[in-house]
Amino acid sequence: MKDATFFIIVYAWIAVALLIFPVVLRVIAPYGRHTTRKWGAMIDNHTGWILMELPALLVFAGFYLFGSGNRPLVTWVFFALWIFHYLNRTLIFPFRLRTKGKKMPLAIVFMAIGFNFVNGFINGYYFGNLATAEQYPNSYFADPRFISGLAIFFAGMFINWQSDHILIHLRKPGENSYAIPWKGLFRYISCPNHFGEIVEWSGFALMTWCSPALAFAIWTLVNLMPRALHHHQWYRSTFPDYPVNRKAVIPFVI
Ligand SMILES: NC(=O)c1ccc[n+]([C@@H]2O[C@H](COP(=O)([O-])OP(=O)(O)OC[C@H]3O[C@@H](n4cnc5c(N)ncnc54)[C@H](OP(=O)(O)O)[C@@H]3O)[C@@H](O)[C@H]2O)c1
């Protein structure tokens, strides 16, 4: 593929994210607490999660490992961080969920497969084929973008994992009910798991300083900001005693 073609795909992908943002703000994604049968055929929740996330792991790894570039050492760190995140999301997280008997629409699974395929492709292809040693010399490990981006990435990952852990343990095995979470960053926002994920991939975009990672950070924001706002509205209408000062996704702001 010509470099110009690749970057047209990346910028078009960013444009699509920005265009659909107003739509995603209005249409509630029908999985988890918002699941509805109106979206057609359903699939087991755990299977759905594995299928949805698998392309982000395999497509990224395939395009990176079988790329024709010289893959500077720094890009192996990017590779390791991506794989670390997606090993958890694809092969560990779905088995920890306490969603016995729950289903999600197949349409959501197909949309997420497409989303993860494109993001896995643009990032894996870029690091495996186009990233150069001039762009990422070993001295890049001391670059402020790398150091601060890495710190932000891990801070986001910690918040995301901690918050998912708190949510999962609100239920005993076999339960499917909802409760108000109180621990960790839930003191300030309704969806710190989504906040953490947004922070994490913003850190990745900063440390890699490239358009494919920026595209993924923007898509993460476009996906998760509306989902957090919808969760927040749901909490408020479901629990009359829901804390009034708690924001949706950014502490003290939104
Ligand atoms: N990068 C991206 O674009 C992207 C996109 C989507 C998701 N993600 C990540 O994937 C993870 C899951 O996302 P999600 O939107 O499905 O999270 P979620 O709606 O907060 O649900 C997470 C898990 O906790 C359970 N849960 C949530 N709130 C609960 C409560 N108040 N009481 C009891 N159980 C509760 C849910 O059960 P139910 O399923 O029964 O509601 C689900 O099993 C997050 O870490 C998110 O950041 C990333």
Side-chain angles (χ1 to χ4, degrees):
M1 181 190 294
K2 286 191 176 150
D3 292 5
T5 311
F6 174 78
F7 285 109
I8 288 172
I9 293 172
V10 173
Y11 292 125
W13 186 233
I14 292 176
V16 173
L18 299 176
L19 284 173
I20 70 154
F21 187 52
V23 180
V24 194
L25 275 173
R26 283 168 193 222
V27 179
I28 298 178
Y31 63 100
R33 75 198 63 192
H34 309 292
T35 299
T36 161
R37 293 193 166 270
K38 289 181 193 158
W39 280 55
M42 308 283 278
I43 182 173
D44 166 71
N45 192 57
H46 298 87
T47 313
W49 268 103
I50 296 169
L51 291 177
M52 288 197 297
E53 302 299 323
L54 209 51
L57 188 65
L58 298 184
V59 175
F60 176 85
F63 276 101
Y64 182 76
L65 294 174
F66 296 105
S68 59
N70 53 11
R71 282 165 295 192
L73 186 59
V74 174
T75 66
W76 283 99
V77 175
F78 302 153
F79 173 79
L81 294 176
W82 183 289
I83 296 296
F84 185 49
H85 173 94
Y86 276 104
L87 278 176
N88 171 60
R89 181 66 74 233
T90 312
L91 300 177
I92 299 173
F93 174 76
F95 295 99
R96 297 180 63 218
L97 294 175
R98 293 178 176 173
T99 55
K100 193 163 179 271
K102 272 207 155 184
K103 292 181 184 289
M104 63 165 71
L106 256 183
I108 285 290
V109 175
F110 281 124
M111 277 190 234
I113 286 175
F115 164 78
N116 283 322
F117 188 96
V118 178
N119 287 311
F121 160 66
I122 58 175
N123 282 279
Y125 184 90
Y126 182 80
F127 296 128
N129 292 274
L130 304 183
T132 62
E134 288 73 42
Q135 181 188 7
Y136 298 123
N138 284 348
S139 59
Y140 191 79
F141 284 122
D143 191 292
R145 289 168 296 182
F146 182 88
I147 296 167
S148 54
L150 185 66
I152 293 169
F153 178 89
F154 276 122
M157 179 180 267
F158 174 78
I159 294 168
N160 177 257
W161 286 21
Q162 181 199 44
S163 310
D164 275 341
H165 181 84
I166 291 169
L167 287 176
I168 288 167
H169 289 87
L170 286 174
R171 290 177 185 156
K172 295 194 175 73
E175 277 182 6
N176 260 339
S177 57
Y178 291 94
I180 302 177
W182 294 99
K183 295 182 185 164
L185 281 189
F186 285 99
R187 282 187 278 270
Y188 306 102
I189 46 178
S190 295
C191 298
N193 53 341
H194 299 144
F195 170 67
E197 185 106 21
I198 293 167
V199 170
E200 186 178 341
W201 294 110
S202 303
F204 190 77
L206 175 62
M207 74 185 289
T208 57
W209 203 252
C210 64
S211 54
L214 176 67
F216 184 44
I218 291 172
W219 266 101
T220 300
L221 183 84
V222 165
N223 263 335
L224 295 185
M225 180 75 87
R227 184 155 173 83
L229 292 171
H230 296 147
H231 277 21
H232 186 61
Q233 283 160 5
W234 177 91
Y235 273 121
R236 285 186 149 181
S237 57
T238 304
F239 297 104
D241 54 339
Y242 198 67
V244 285
N245 291 331
R246 197 178 286 189
K247 299 288 184 186
V249 62
I250 301 177
F252 312 111
V253 182
I254 303 174

